[in-house]
Amino acid sequence: MKPNGVAIRALRTAHACGLRELARRTGLSRPYLSRLERGKRGATPETVRLIAEALKVPPEALTSEDTK
């Protein structure tokens, strides 16, 4: 399961959630989340699950090629 950084950023901003807030909700570091959104880092299925739960979306929404 490869996360789509553009989809993560789009969903995060649609939920009016900053990187700092997402880091707080997930327990992941802000720099890691930033690199993930820019496609510089990969993510484990557990990480995708944590982000999806924090944004209240299904994990598949974070791996979608369609970012609309």
Side-chain angles (χ1 to χ4, degrees), residues 1-4 7-8 11 44-65:
M1 176 180 319
K2 184 171 191 243
N4 179 324
I8 293 171
L11 286 165
T44 66
E46 176 66 14
T47 299
V48 173
R49 185 190 62 77
L50 286 171
I51 296 169
E53 286 179 0
L55 295 175
K56 296 179 175 61
V57 298
E60 297 80 28
L62 304 178
T63 60
S64 172
E65 292 300 318

Side-chain angles (χ1 to χ4, degrees), residues 1-6 8-9 19 28-45 47-48 51 62-63:
M1 176 180 319
K2 184 171 191 243
N4 179 324
V6 174
I8 293 171
R9 179 176 287 151
L19 275 175
L28 301 168
S29 75
R30 188 194 53 76
Y32 171 77
L33 290 168
S34 176
R35 288 189 302 269
L36 183 63
E37 286 185 354
R38 290 181 283 133
K40 303 291 184 188
R41 293 290 305 214
T44 66
T47 299
V48 173
I51 296 169
L62 304 178
T63 60

Side-chain angles (χ1 to χ4, degrees), residues 8-25:
I8 293 171
R9 179 176 287 151
L11 286 165
R12 178 178 60 75
T13 56
H15 285 85
C17 180
L19 275 175
R20 191 168 285 139
E21 176 61 18
L22 185 58
R24 186 191 65 75
R25 291 182 191 179

